[in-house]
Amino acid sequence: MENRTYTAEAEPGETATVAGWVHEIRDLGGIAFLILRDKSGKIQIKFEKEEMDDDLVETGLGLSRESVVSVTGAVEEEPRAPTGVEITPDELDVIAEAEPELPLDPSGKVDAELSTRLDNRTLDLRKDETKAIFEIRAEVLRAVRESFREIGCTEISTPKIVATGTEGGTELFPITYFGKEAFMNQSPQLFKQLMVGSGLERVFEIGPIFRAEEHNTPRHLNEATMIDFESAFIDHEEAMDACERTLLAAYEGVAENCEEQLETLGYDDFEVPDEGFPRLSYEETIERINATGELDEQLVWGDDLPTEAEKALGQDVGGHYFVTDWPSEIKPFYIQDHEGGELSKGFDLMHPRMELVSGGQREHRYDHLVEGFEQQGLDPAQFEYYTKMFKYGMPPHAGWAYGVERLVMTMLDLGNIREAVLFPRDRQRLSP
Ligand code: ATP
Ligand code: AMO
């Protein structure tokens, strides 16, 4: 439909063809209105029954809600119309009629359960509020890509079918690959590291990861989208700077370019976080958590942070913060240790509600790397494709990864991570 005009762009004085969905029909007797909705907004189509062709009036007013139509007619100013303009139709084509019974109400007047919404995403995204979430998600990705470009990153894509896992063996989805055991990748970790040793030096990837998470929680998915960053010749401190910059770029992009969507979602006080996120050492972190008195049992050195601990500290800090200097024993083999070996150069970026990022300085020294595998009970021979490149000149490097859905979820204060994914994969959900 090359001469189609978006409803928001229909100019009074011209004849326009608009196309979209029947949002509502209001019949007032002698006069009736069809509200037509498209991506850009809504427009009023006026039917003056006495003055117009009977067939046209009958077809227009007999349409079921959510049918797809195109309408051609004169655009006029009309202060009483919801957007100040209306169209008097000369032609109306019914393109796709909708059944009168809909599984959910796209006008949003009747609330639907999340599972009904997820089963009917097409209809769900006809609602302004749901559409706004995905427009904001797209803006987050755009802003993040631009901020990577500003710091000289090259975008890469790495395989999603792999021979080995990296983030702990229990969470892999096994598949068969021409008779061989293979897995869906949990993280681009090893591949992005291989690329910092290449001529690219500084890379990022935005892509899917797959984890056979046992738990069914409001903040875990079995297929998620990760923003991975990795750079040669930087350390963990500089990686944290880049991590903070990326988050601020995402918030700034949304604040600047998604005013309408934020308004639709009811955020009149959307704020870009202040620069300079606090960097708390792991030791300080567990002391502060214990001091909140919110936990039944005090944390001891070496404990990972349970969900309640993250929440208690999040309330205490009141904004984003990093946790640094984790015990080496609870960070993966690819993270470098500080001198002495007890503390690692790994970090997490936390939102008061949950963890957003893991990252760190990597072990680039071949001997130390192989030792690290052995200490974690992994067979270095299985990772030879990775370790051998550390023999041919691997620069010092650092990086991190964000979960996109968690970033959007915390940014918009969504109750459930599934609201930030079009077609979530969880323990129960494999289709659509
Ligand atoms: P007719 O206009 O053929 O006499 P009617 O009596 O049903 O039929 P009006 O009295 O003109 O229609 O209007 C009915 C209602 O519709 C009124 O509340 C009026 O404010 C509203 N209305 C009329 N024209 C428009 C329009 N173009 N846009 C929005 N509201 C309108
Ligand atoms: P990690 O395992 O901490 O680190 O993952 C990084 C971030 O990805 C998000 N995330 C998830 N989001 C939703 N559902 C899941 N199941 C899920 N799993 C992870 C979180 C998390 O903070 N290779 C390292 C990163 C690195 O060091 O560069 C890694 O994968 O927001």
Side-chain angles (χ1 to χ4, degrees):
M1 299 191 66
E2 57 195 36
N3 53 4
R4 170 193 173 198
T5 305
Y6 280 122
T7 57
E9 286 157 16
E11 290 287 341
E14 67 181 16
T15 294
T17 298
V18 292
W21 290 263
V22 175
H23 187 67
E24 198 183 348
I25 290 176
R26 272 185 286 144
D27 198 334
L28 305 173
I31 193 165
F33 306 104
L34 183 160
I35 308 298
L36 183 102
R37 187 188 70 240
D38 68 8
K39 177 189 160 82
S40 71
K42 300 187 189 87
I43 199 160
Q44 170 165 291
I45 316 291
K46 177 171 73 176
F47 293 87
E48 282 174 308
K49 296 182 190 170
E50 296 305 319
E51 283 153 46
M52 285 167 61
D53 178 67
D54 286 348
D55 283 348
L56 184 76
V57 172
E58 203 182 312
T59 311
L61 302 184
L63 284 165
S64 48
R65 280 168 52 219
E66 300 305 317
S67 294
V68 178
V69 293
S70 90
V71 175
T72 304
V75 185
E76 276 156 84
E77 261 178 74
E78 171 49 65
R80 288 170 296 181
T83 57
V85 289
E86 68 182 6
I87 294 183
T88 307
D90 296 323
E91 263 178 61
L92 184 148
D93 283 333
V94 181
I95 298 170
E97 224 168 327
E99 284 188 14
E101 290 289 324
L102 299 169
L104 65 81
D105 172 19
S107 78
K109 284 181 194 144
V110 186
D111 276 342
E113 298 276 339
L114 183 57
S115 67
T116 308
R117 294 177 42 206
L118 297 176
D119 285 341
N120 299 280
R121 272 303 208 192
T122 308
L123 296 181
D124 189 34
L125 266 90
R126 291 183 194 168
K127 287 191 298 206
D128 286 341
E129 291 79 6
T130 318
K131 184 168 81 132
I133 294 173
F134 290 94
E135 286 169 341
I136 289 173
R137 182 186 156 120
E139 172 57 23
V140 164
L141 296 180
R142 189 209 59 76
V144 164
R145 279 199 166 87
E146 188 175 307
S147 82
F148 280 133
R149 195 160 305 133
E150 278 165 15
I151 58 168
C153 276
T154 304
E155 182 161 8
I156 58 169
S157 303
T158 63
K160 305 303 156 211
I161 302 176
V162 295
T164 53
T166 54
E167 311 297 324
T170 55
E171 297 170 2
L172 282 161
F173 280 114
I175 54 168
T176 35
Y177 190 71
F178 302 114
K180 278 198 203 125
E181 184 179 50
F183 305 97
M184 303 298 288
N185 206 7
Q186 300 165 304
S187 156
Q189 183 63 40
L190 305 188
F191 297 105
K192 66 177 178 172
Q193 285 190 260
L194 291 176
M195 284 303 103
V196 301
S198 80
L200 297 176
E201 289 192 26
R202 181 171 284 187
V203 297
F204 78 96
E205 172 163 10
I206 301 178
I209 55 107
F210 307 89
R211 296 189 178 192
E213 304 279 1
E214 284 304 318
H215 23 283
N216 208 353
T217 80
R219 62 198 173 89
H220 287 93
L221 293 164
N222 295 107
E223 176 174 345
T225 313
M226 263 196 205
I227 302 173
D228 271 90
F229 166 80
E230 200 72 23
S231 174
F233 303 110
I234 66 165
D235 65 13
H236 54 294
E237 299 283 347
E238 292 164 296
M240 280 187 269
D241 296 343
C243 181
E244 178 175 320
R245 205 41 255 142
T246 306
L247 183 127
L248 295 178
Y251 274 79
E252 282 160 7
V254 171
E256 270 168 39
N257 302 319
C258 297
E259 254 175 74
E260 202 184 304
Q261 288 83 353
L262 289 170
E263 199 184 302
T264 299
L265 291 168
Y267 297 109
D268 32 21
D269 57 350
F270 183 81
E271 273 178 25
V272 178
D274 290 334
E275 272 178 70
F277 299 163
R279 297 181 182 185
L280 311 179
S281 71
Y282 170 84
E283 190 170 0
E284 222 177 322
T285 302
I286 55 172
E287 274 166 18
R288 263 178 90 160
I289 292 169
N290 286 338
T292 64
E294 295 283 325
L295 263 61
D296 298 339
E297 246 178 82
Q298 297 270 291
L299 294 175
V300 296
W301 173 264
D303 284 347
D304 215 335
L305 305 185
T307 310
E308 321 83 78
E310 288 178 2
K311 291 220 171 99
L313 185 60
Q315 279 186 339
D316 191 18
V317 180
H320 293 89
Y321 63 97
F322 287 102
V323 180
T324 66
D325 304 293
W326 288 78
S328 305
E329 67 205 52
I330 55 171
K331 281 289 169 189
F333 60 84
Y334 51 76
I335 300 280
Q336 193 172 80
D337 297 339
H338 284 287
E339 240 7 88
E342 198 189 350
L343 294 179
S344 79
K345 296 183 188 173
F347 60 82
D348 284 1
L349 172 64
M350 309 292 300
H351 175 275
R353 285 176 71 195
M354 71 191 76
E355 178 200 307
L356 286 184
V357 173
S358 289
Q361 169 116 36
R362 317 306 187 179
E363 184 50 79
H364 66 285
R365 298 162 299 182
Y366 178 80
D367 297 342
H368 287 76
L369 186 66
V370 171
E371 243 172 63
F373 273 105
E374 282 157 0
Q375 273 164 14
Q376 287 201 359
L378 293 165
D379 175 10
Q382 277 202 320
F383 294 88
E384 208 230 337
Y385 70 93
Y386 164 75
T387 53
K388 76 176 180 198
M389 291 303 153
F390 287 69
K391 293 196 266 187
Y392 309 134
M394 186 58 79
H397 60 281
W400 40 256
Y402 272 94
V404 174
E405 292 78 13
R406 287 192 183 184
L407 179 56
V408 174
M409 176 188 186
T410 52
M411 179 184 273
L412 301 180
D413 202 22
L414 305 175
N416 193 316
I417 196 164
R418 291 160 184 78
E419 293 194 57
V421 203
L422 286 175
F423 300 105
R425 291 288 169 264
D426 62 27
R427 299 283 316 230
Q428 276 81 41
R429 196 165 274 281
L430 187 54
S431 98

mmCIF file of all heavy atoms in Angstrom, residues 312-345:
data_model
loop_
_atom_site.group_PDB
_atom_site.id
_atom_site.type_symbol
_atom_site.label_atom_id
_atom_site.label_comp_id
_atom_site.label_asym_id
_atom_site.label_seq_id
_atom_site.Cartn_x
_atom_site.Cartn_y
_atom_site.Cartn_z
ATOM 1 N N ALA A 312 17.981 -6.671 50.577
ATOM 2 C CA ALA A 312 18.262 -5.874 51.778
ATOM 3 C C ALA A 312 19.320 -4.816 51.479
ATOM 4 O O ALA A 312 19.162 -3.635 51.822
ATOM 5 C CB ALA A 312 18.730 -6.791 52.912
ATOM 6 N N LEU A 313 20.377 -5.215 50.788
ATOM 7 C CA LEU A 313 21.443 -4.262 50.475
ATOM 8 C C LEU A 313 20.965 -3.225 49.462
ATOM 9 O O LEU A 313 21.298 -2.040 49.564
ATOM 10 C CB LEU A 313 22.677 -4.999 49.953
ATOM 11 C CG LEU A 313 23.892 -4.110 49.704
ATOM 12 C CD1 LEU A 313 24.347 -3.416 50.985
ATOM 13 C CD2 LEU A 313 25.043 -4.909 49.108
ATOM 14 N N GLY A 314 20.169 -3.672 48.505
ATOM 15 C CA GLY A 314 19.616 -2.766 47.496
ATOM 16 C C GLY A 314 18.850 -1.627 48.147
ATOM 17 O O GLY A 314 18.999 -0.461 47.768
ATOM 18 N N GLN A 315 18.051 -1.960 49.170
ATOM 19 C CA GLN A 315 17.287 -0.923 49.880
ATOM 20 C C GLN A 315 18.218 0.009 50.627
ATOM 21 O O GLN A 315 18.012 1.218 50.679
ATOM 22 C CB GLN A 315 16.314 -1.576 50.849
ATOM 23 C CG GLN A 315 15.079 -2.019 50.113
ATOM 24 C CD GLN A 315 13.995 -2.545 51.027
ATOM 25 O OE1 GLN A 315 14.276 -2.937 52.162
ATOM 26 N NE2 GLN A 315 12.785 -2.570 50.531
ATOM 27 N N ASP A 316 19.263 -0.591 51.191
ATOM 28 C CA ASP A 316 20.235 0.173 51.959
ATOM 29 C C ASP A 316 20.992 1.155 51.053
ATOM 30 O O ASP A 316 21.124 2.334 51.364
ATOM 31 C CB ASP A 316 21.210 -0.833 52.609
ATOM 32 C CG ASP A 316 22.099 -0.179 53.633
ATOM 33 O OD1 ASP A 316 21.744 0.927 54.081
ATOM 34 O OD2 ASP A 316 23.140 -0.774 53.985
ATOM 35 N N VAL A 317 21.440 0.689 49.880
ATOM 36 C CA VAL A 317 22.226 1.543 48.971
ATOM 37 C C VAL A 317 21.307 2.494 48.198
ATOM 38 O O VAL A 317 21.638 3.660 47.979
ATOM 39 C CB VAL A 317 23.081 0.702 47.985
ATOM 40 C CG1 VAL A 317 23.879 1.596 47.044
ATOM 41 C CG2 VAL A 317 24.019 -0.238 48.737
ATOM 42 N N GLY A 318 20.158 1.995 47.754
ATOM 43 C CA GLY A 318 19.159 2.854 47.113
ATOM 44 C C GLY A 318 19.400 3.165 45.644
ATOM 45 O O GLY A 318 18.710 4.003 45.067
ATOM 46 N N GLY A 319 20.353 2.530 45.010
ATOM 47 C CA GLY A 319 20.593 2.752 43.574
ATOM 48 C C GLY A 319 21.499 1.659 43.052
ATOM 49 O O GLY A 319 21.768 0.683 43.764
ATOM 50 N N HIS A 320 21.975 1.827 41.813
ATOM 51 C CA HIS A 320 22.890 0.837 41.248
ATOM 52 C C HIS A 320 24.221 0.856 42.001
ATOM 53 O O HIS A 320 24.665 1.919 42.435
ATOM 54 C CB HIS A 320 23.178 1.152 39.779
ATOM 55 C CG HIS A 320 21.976 0.998 38.888
ATOM 56 N ND1 HIS A 320 21.087 2.010 38.643
ATOM 57 C CD2 HIS A 320 21.535 -0.072 38.189
ATOM 58 C CE1 HIS A 320 20.140 1.578 37.824
ATOM 59 N NE2 HIS A 320 20.379 0.322 37.534
ATOM 60 N N TYR A 321 24.838 -0.291 42.124
ATOM 61 C CA TYR A 321 26.167 -0.362 42.765
ATOM 62 C C TYR A 321 26.908 -1.603 42.276
ATOM 63 O O TYR A 321 26.278 -2.560 41.801
ATOM 64 C CB TYR A 321 26.034 -0.386 44.292
ATOM 65 C CG TYR A 321 25.300 -1.583 44.846
ATOM 66 C CD1 TYR A 321 25.980 -2.696 45.324
ATOM 67 C CD2 TYR A 321 23.910 -1.611 44.865
ATOM 68 C CE1 TYR A 321 25.294 -3.803 45.818
ATOM 69 C CE2 TYR A 321 23.214 -2.719 45.349
ATOM 70 C CZ TYR A 321 23.911 -3.803 45.823
ATOM 71 O OH TYR A 321 23.234 -4.915 46.295
ATOM 72 N N PHE A 322 28.225 -1.543 42.344
ATOM 73 C CA PHE A 322 29.050 -2.702 41.981
ATOM 74 C C PHE A 322 29.474 -3.448 43.239
ATOM 75 O O PHE A 322 29.713 -2.827 44.279
ATOM 76 C CB PHE A 322 30.336 -2.250 41.267
ATOM 77 C CG PHE A 322 30.115 -1.752 39.859
ATOM 78 C CD1 PHE A 322 30.091 -0.379 39.583
ATOM 79 C CD2 PHE A 322 29.954 -2.640 38.801
ATOM 80 C CE1 PHE A 322 29.905 0.085 38.285
ATOM 81 C CE2 PHE A 322 29.774 -2.188 37.504
ATOM 82 C CZ PHE A 322 29.744 -0.821 37.244
ATOM 83 N N VAL A 323 29.581 -4.761 43.115
ATOM 84 C CA VAL A 323 30.235 -5.559 44.158
ATOM 85 C C VAL A 323 31.530 -6.090 43.525
ATOM 86 O O VAL A 323 31.484 -6.731 42.471
ATOM 87 C CB VAL A 323 29.352 -6.723 44.642
ATOM 88 C CG1 VAL A 323 30.083 -7.532 45.720
ATOM 89 C CG2 VAL A 323 28.026 -6.208 45.180
ATOM 90 N N THR A 324 32.655 -5.790 44.165
ATOM 91 C CA THR A 324 33.962 -6.135 43.586
ATOM 92 C C THR A 324 34.713 -7.094 44.508
ATOM 93 O O THR A 324 34.257 -7.370 45.628
ATOM 94 C CB THR A 324 34.820 -4.856 43.427
ATOM 95 O OG1 THR A 324 35.103 -4.362 44.742
ATOM 96 C CG2 THR A 324 34.088 -3.772 42.640
ATOM 97 N N ASP A 325 35.866 -7.547 44.046
ATOM 98 C CA ASP A 325 36.766 -8.362 44.877
ATOM 99 C C ASP A 325 36.082 -9.574 45.503
ATOM 100 O O ASP A 325 36.151 -9.790 46.712
ATOM 101 C CB ASP A 325 37.415 -7.490 45.969
ATOM 102 C CG ASP A 325 38.140 -6.306 45.372
ATOM 103 O OD1 ASP A 325 39.149 -6.517 44.686
ATOM 104 O OD2 ASP A 325 37.673 -5.153 45.550
ATOM 105 N N TRP A 326 35.410 -10.333 44.669
ATOM 106 C CA TRP A 326 34.730 -11.557 45.130
ATOM 107 C C TRP A 326 35.760 -12.615 45.487
ATOM 108 O O TRP A 326 36.849 -12.646 44.908
ATOM 109 C CB TRP A 326 33.848 -12.107 44.006
ATOM 110 C CG TRP A 326 32.625 -11.293 43.743
ATOM 111 C CD1 TRP A 326 32.559 -10.126 43.050
ATOM 112 C CD2 TRP A 326 31.298 -11.589 44.165
ATOM 113 N NE1 TRP A 326 31.265 -9.675 43.007
ATOM 114 C CE2 TRP A 326 30.471 -10.552 43.690
ATOM 115 C CE3 TRP A 326 30.712 -12.635 44.895
ATOM 116 C CZ2 TRP A 326 29.091 -10.524 43.915
ATOM 117 C CZ3 TRP A 326 29.343 -12.606 45.118
ATOM 118 C CH2 TRP A 326 28.542 -11.559 44.637
ATOM 119 N N PRO A 327 35.406 -13.518 46.407
ATOM 120 C CA PRO A 327 36.311 -14.641 46.676
ATOM 121 C C PRO A 327 36.541 -15.416 45.366
ATOM 122 O O PRO A 327 35.586 -15.700 44.642
ATOM 123 C CB PRO A 327 35.527 -15.511 47.668
ATOM 124 C CG PRO A 327 34.471 -14.627 48.234
ATOM 125 C CD PRO A 327 34.171 -13.575 47.217
ATOM 126 N N SER A 328 37.781 -15.758 45.100
ATOM 127 C CA SER A 328 38.107 -16.450 43.848
ATOM 128 C C SER A 328 37.318 -17.743 43.689
ATOM 129 O O SER A 328 36.921 -18.109 42.585
ATOM 130 C CB SER A 328 39.591 -16.795 43.825
ATOM 131 O OG SER A 328 40.323 -15.632 44.036
ATOM 132 N N GLU A 329 37.074 -18.417 44.831
ATOM 133 C CA GLU A 329 36.449 -19.747 44.747
ATOM 134 C C GLU A 329 35.020 -19.699 44.187
ATOM 135 O O GLU A 329 34.529 -20.703 43.691
ATOM 136 C CB GLU A 329 36.462 -20.412 46.131
ATOM 137 C CG GLU A 329 35.566 -19.702 47.129
ATOM 138 C CD GLU A 329 35.950 -19.901 48.595
ATOM 139 O OE1 GLU A 329 37.134 -19.675 48.916
ATOM 140 O OE2 GLU A 329 35.059 -20.263 49.372
ATOM 141 N N ILE A 330 34.335 -18.548 44.271
ATOM 142 C CA ILE A 330 32.972 -18.527 43.726
ATOM 143 C C ILE A 330 32.887 -17.792 42.384
ATOM 144 O O ILE A 330 31.805 -17.482 41.906
ATOM 145 C CB ILE A 330 31.914 -17.990 44.738
ATOM 146 C CG1 ILE A 330 32.283 -16.605 45.288
ATOM 147 C CG2 ILE A 330 31.683 -18.974 45.854
ATOM 148 C CD1 ILE A 330 31.163 -15.963 46.106
ATOM 149 N N LYS A 331 34.034 -17.519 41.774
ATOM 150 C CA LYS A 331 34.008 -16.922 40.428
ATOM 151 C C LYS A 331 34.583 -17.931 39.433
ATOM 152 O O LYS A 331 35.407 -18.760 39.787
ATOM 153 C CB LYS A 331 34.811 -15.612 40.412
ATOM 154 C CG LYS A 331 34.022 -14.420 40.997
ATOM 155 C CD LYS A 331 32.900 -13.982 40.066
ATOM 156 C CE LYS A 331 31.942 -12.997 40.707
ATOM 157 N NZ LYS A 331 30.749 -12.721 39.899
ATOM 158 N N PRO A 332 34.139 -17.873 38.163
ATOM 159 C CA PRO A 332 34.571 -18.881 37.190
ATOM 160 C C PRO A 332 36.068 -18.843 36.852
ATOM 161 O O PRO A 332 36.749 -17.855 37.140
ATOM 162 C CB PRO A 332 33.739 -18.571 35.946
ATOM 163 C CG PRO A 332 32.862 -17.431 36.264
ATOM 164 C CD PRO A 332 33.172 -16.922 37.616
ATOM 165 N N PHE A 333 36.544 -19.914 36.208
ATOM 166 C CA PHE A 333 37.974 -20.095 35.912
ATOM 167 C C PHE A 333 38.561 -18.964 35.068
ATOM 168 O O PHE A 333 39.748 -18.709 35.100
ATOM 169 C CB PHE A 333 38.195 -21.430 35.182
ATOM 170 C CG PHE A 333 37.466 -21.532 33.865
ATOM 171 C CD1 PHE A 333 38.025 -21.002 32.708
ATOM 172 C CD2 PHE A 333 36.205 -22.133 33.784
ATOM 173 C CE1 PHE A 333 37.353 -21.066 31.494
ATOM 174 C CE2 PHE A 333 35.527 -22.197 32.570
ATOM 175 C CZ PHE A 333 36.100 -21.655 31.433
ATOM 176 N N TYR A 334 37.722 -18.297 34.280
ATOM 177 C CA TYR A 334 38.272 -17.289 33.362
ATOM 178 C C TYR A 334 38.516 -15.935 34.028
ATOM 179 O O TYR A 334 39.008 -15.013 33.399
ATOM 180 C CB TYR A 334 37.377 -17.129 32.119
ATOM 181 C CG TYR A 334 35.900 -16.895 32.411
ATOM 182 C CD1 TYR A 334 35.437 -15.665 32.839
ATOM 183 C CD2 TYR A 334 34.969 -17.937 32.245
ATOM 184 C CE1 TYR A 334 34.089 -15.460 33.105
ATOM 185 C CE2 TYR A 334 33.624 -17.736 32.508
ATOM 186 C CZ TYR A 334 33.186 -16.491 32.928
ATOM 187 O OH TYR A 334 31.869 -16.301 33.195
ATOM 188 N N ILE A 335 38.130 -15.798 35.304
ATOM 189 C CA ILE A 335 38.352 -14.533 36.023
ATOM 190 C C ILE A 335 39.738 -14.555 36.671
ATOM 191 O O ILE A 335 40.121 -15.539 37.303
ATOM 192 C CB ILE A 335 37.272 -14.325 37.123
ATOM 193 C CG1 ILE A 335 35.864 -14.279 36.506
ATOM 194 C CG2 ILE A 335 37.564 -13.105 37.976
ATOM 195 C CD1 ILE A 335 35.467 -12.972 35.885
ATOM 196 N N GLN A 336 40.470 -13.449 36.528
ATOM 197 C CA GLN A 336 41.810 -13.363 37.119
ATOM 198 C C GLN A 336 41.722 -13.057 38.625
ATOM 199 O O GLN A 336 40.813 -12.359 39.059
ATOM 200 C CB GLN A 336 42.592 -12.248 36.418
ATOM 201 C CG GLN A 336 44.065 -12.267 36.720
ATOM 202 C CD GLN A 336 44.831 -11.262 35.858
ATOM 203 O OE1 GLN A 336 44.856 -10.073 36.153
ATOM 204 N NE2 GLN A 336 45.449 -11.742 34.803
ATOM 205 N N ASP A 337 42.686 -13.584 39.368
ATOM 206 C CA ASP A 337 42.748 -13.300 40.813
ATOM 207 C C ASP A 337 43.674 -12.126 41.081
ATOM 208 O O ASP A 337 44.583 -11.849 40.308
ATOM 209 C CB ASP A 337 43.311 -14.515 41.570
ATOM 210 C CG ASP A 337 42.413 -15.722 41.443
ATOM 211 O OD1 ASP A 337 41.223 -15.535 41.134
ATOM 212 O OD2 ASP A 337 42.913 -16.856 41.637
ATOM 213 N N HIS A 338 43.417 -11.467 42.208
ATOM 214 C CA HIS A 338 44.399 -10.499 42.711
ATOM 215 C C HIS A 338 45.616 -11.284 43.192
ATOM 216 O O HIS A 338 45.530 -12.486 43.452
ATOM 217 C CB HIS A 338 43.816 -9.711 43.897
ATOM 218 C CG HIS A 338 42.832 -8.659 43.494
ATOM 219 N ND1 HIS A 338 43.203 -7.483 42.887
ATOM 220 C CD2 HIS A 338 41.481 -8.599 43.638
ATOM 221 C CE1 HIS A 338 42.125 -6.740 42.671
ATOM 222 N NE2 HIS A 338 41.064 -7.396 43.111
ATOM 223 N N GLU A 339 46.731 -10.601 43.363
ATOM 224 C CA GLU A 339 47.944 -11.168 43.951
ATOM 225 C C GLU A 339 47.566 -11.975 45.195
ATOM 226 O O GLU A 339 46.780 -11.499 46.022
ATOM 227 C CB GLU A 339 48.802 -9.990 44.429
ATOM 228 C CG GLU A 339 50.216 -9.734 43.903
ATOM 229 C CD GLU A 339 50.758 -10.542 42.772
ATOM 230 O OE1 GLU A 339 50.552 -10.148 41.596
ATOM 231 O OE2 GLU A 339 51.422 -11.524 43.083
ATOM 232 N N GLY A 340 48.043 -13.165 45.338
ATOM 233 C CA GLY A 340 47.741 -13.949 46.545
ATOM 234 C C GLY A 340 46.692 -15.015 46.290
ATOM 235 O O GLY A 340 46.649 -16.042 46.951
ATOM 236 N N GLY A 341 45.810 -14.742 45.329
ATOM 237 C CA GLY A 341 44.885 -15.772 44.871
ATOM 238 C C GLY A 341 43.554 -15.888 45.604
ATOM 239 O O GLY A 341 42.639 -16.540 45.134
ATOM 240 N N GLU A 342 43.411 -15.221 46.764
ATOM 241 C CA GLU A 342 42.169 -15.416 47.515
ATOM 242 C C GLU A 342 41.013 -14.589 46.941
ATOM 243 O O GLU A 342 39.855 -15.024 46.908
ATOM 244 C CB GLU A 342 42.426 -15.021 48.979
ATOM 245 C CG GLU A 342 41.389 -15.581 49.917
ATOM 246 C CD GLU A 342 41.535 -15.006 51.327
ATOM 247 O OE1 GLU A 342 42.557 -14.332 51.612
ATOM 248 O OE2 GLU A 342 40.616 -15.202 52.127
ATOM 249 N N LEU A 343 41.382 -13.386 46.481
ATOM 250 C CA LEU A 343 40.357 -12.480 45.930
ATOM 251 C C LEU A 343 40.447 -12.433 44.406
ATOM 252 O O LEU A 343 41.533 -12.497 43.842
ATOM 253 C CB LEU A 343 40.574 -11.055 46.458
ATOM 254 C CG LEU A 343 40.375 -10.826 47.942
ATOM 255 C CD1 LEU A 343 40.647 -9.361 48.275
ATOM 256 C CD2 LEU A 343 38.954 -11.183 48.338
ATOM 257 N N SER A 344 39.286 -12.260 43.778
ATOM 258 C CA SER A 344 39.274 -12.222 42.310
ATOM 259 C C SER A 344 39.041 -10.802 41.820
ATOM 260 O O SER A 344 38.637 -9.921 42.584
ATOM 261 C CB SER A 344 38.162 -13.114 41.778
ATOM 262 O OG SER A 344 36.930 -12.438 41.892
ATOM 263 N N LYS A 345 39.279 -10.617 40.520
ATOM 264 C CA LYS A 345 38.995 -9.327 39.894
ATOM 265 C C LYS A 345 37.647 -9.357 39.179
ATOM 266 O O LYS A 345 37.428 -8.660 38.205
ATOM 267 C CB LYS A 345 40.131 -8.958 38.926
ATOM 268 C CG LYS A 345 41.468 -8.753 39.635
ATOM 269 C CD LYS A 345 42.544 -8.331 38.660
ATOM 270 C CE LYS A 345 43.917 -8.324 39.340
ATOM 271 N NZ LYS A 345 45.005 -8.068 38.370
#
